[in-house]
Amino acid sequence: MFDVAVFGSLFLTLFVIMDPPGIIPIFLALTSGRPAKVQKRMAFQAVCVAFGVIAVFGVLGHQILDYLHVSVPALMIAGGLLLLLIALDLLTGKTDEPQQTKDVNVALVPLGMPLLAGPGAIVSVILAVQKADSVSTQVSVWTAILAIHVVLWLVMRYSLLIIRVIKDGGVVLVTRLAGMMLSAIAVQQIINGITQVVQGS
């Protein structure tokens, strides 16, 4: 009742796309200045949001996109623009939002979506679920989806130990680095979306 090859293939694909090691500086930057308890809660919330989005699109992905008349490239470009706005805030050190609102938004947007549950992960899951034509492959696909989210939670949860070492000055440096990385990810996502539009026309 379990297909190891399907599990391994999807897990590795999602690992590359969702990039647990790469999420560390972005998570630390977006949650800096908050109590450790709040940061841990935000890590859990972000993973729950990402899993919820991935699960919904895994089950109803094509129906949702068709109903909204949204193409995958459009989803990629929109996600890239959203990430770019967040990246610019990190690069400039802008923190105008009220603390309470910011706590909620960081866990949901951009951490949960589109950073973790981005267009690449969504499309990969939609295709994997479509190709799963037996109970064993379906179990393997959903186990891989659950496993990568557990890894993401563990990585963000224990990355908080880094803050104790790098102190406030290091947090500022990590924030700027995360902004630069996130802007690069955003631009690449926009380029990929535009490229798909051009190729499809």
Side-chain angles (χ1 to χ4, degrees), residues 1-10 133-141 143-144:
M1 292 292 291
F2 191 81
D3 192 321
V4 177
V6 171
F7 170 86
S9 176
L10 182 58
D133 53 3
S134 66
V135 175
S136 63
T137 51
Q138 284 282 354
V139 170
S140 304
V141 164
T143 303

Side-chain angles (χ1 to χ4, degrees):
M1 292 292 291
F2 191 81
D3 192 321
V4 177
V6 171
F7 170 86
S9 176
L10 182 58
F11 181 84
L12 288 175
T13 299
L14 292 176
F15 189 92
V16 171
I17 293 172
M18 301 176 90
D19 191 16
I23 201 69
I24 292 175
I26 298 172
F27 173 73
L28 293 177
L30 291 172
T31 61
S32 64
R34 296 172 174 83
K37 185 177 180 180
V38 173
Q39 290 175 306
K40 292 174 185 177
R41 186 177 72 241
M42 291 171 72
F44 182 72
Q45 288 174 339
V47 170
C48 287
V49 168
F51 180 78
V53 171
I54 292 287
V56 168
F57 275 95
V59 176
L60 303 169
H62 272 294
Q63 293 90 324
I64 293 172
L65 294 180
D66 290 343
Y67 177 77
L68 296 174
H69 303 290
V70 173
S71 65
V72 172
L75 189 65
M76 296 178 73
I77 294 170
L81 290 172
L82 180 58
L83 287 180
L84 188 58
L85 290 174
I86 303 296
L88 292 174
D89 280 351
L90 290 176
L91 283 169
T92 58
K94 184 179 176 183
T95 54
D96 293 338
E97 287 184 279
Q99 189 72 21
Q100 187 174 1
T101 304
K102 195 174 180 184
D103 286 347
V104 175
N105 286 344
V106 167
L108 304 181
V109 177
L111 278 176
M113 183 179 180
L115 200 52
L116 297 181
I122 289 172
V123 172
S124 297
V125 167
I126 290 175
L127 295 176
V129 171
Q130 274 189 330
K131 291 177 182 177
D133 53 3
S134 66
V135 175
S136 63
T137 51
Q138 284 282 354
V139 170
S140 304
V141 164
W142 287 103
T143 303
I145 294 170
L146 181 61
I148 192 62
H149 283 84
V150 171
V151 170
L152 286 165
W153 175 73
L154 289 172
V155 166
M156 289 191 290
R157 166 72 172 75
Y158 290 101
S159 69
L160 298 175
L161 298 174
I162 298 173
I163 294 179
R164 298 179 186 176
V165 177
I166 63 176
K167 307 299 182 183
D168 292 342
V171 169
V172 174
L173 178 62
V174 167
T175 300
R176 300 298 181 267
L177 175 63
M180 187 169 62
M181 291 172 55
L182 196 56
S183 61
I185 293 171
V187 170
Q188 186 61 57
Q189 195 162 293
I190 293 170
I191 291 171
N192 292 344
I194 294 173
T195 301
Q196 288 193 24
V197 170
V198 172
Q199 289 175 347
S201 61

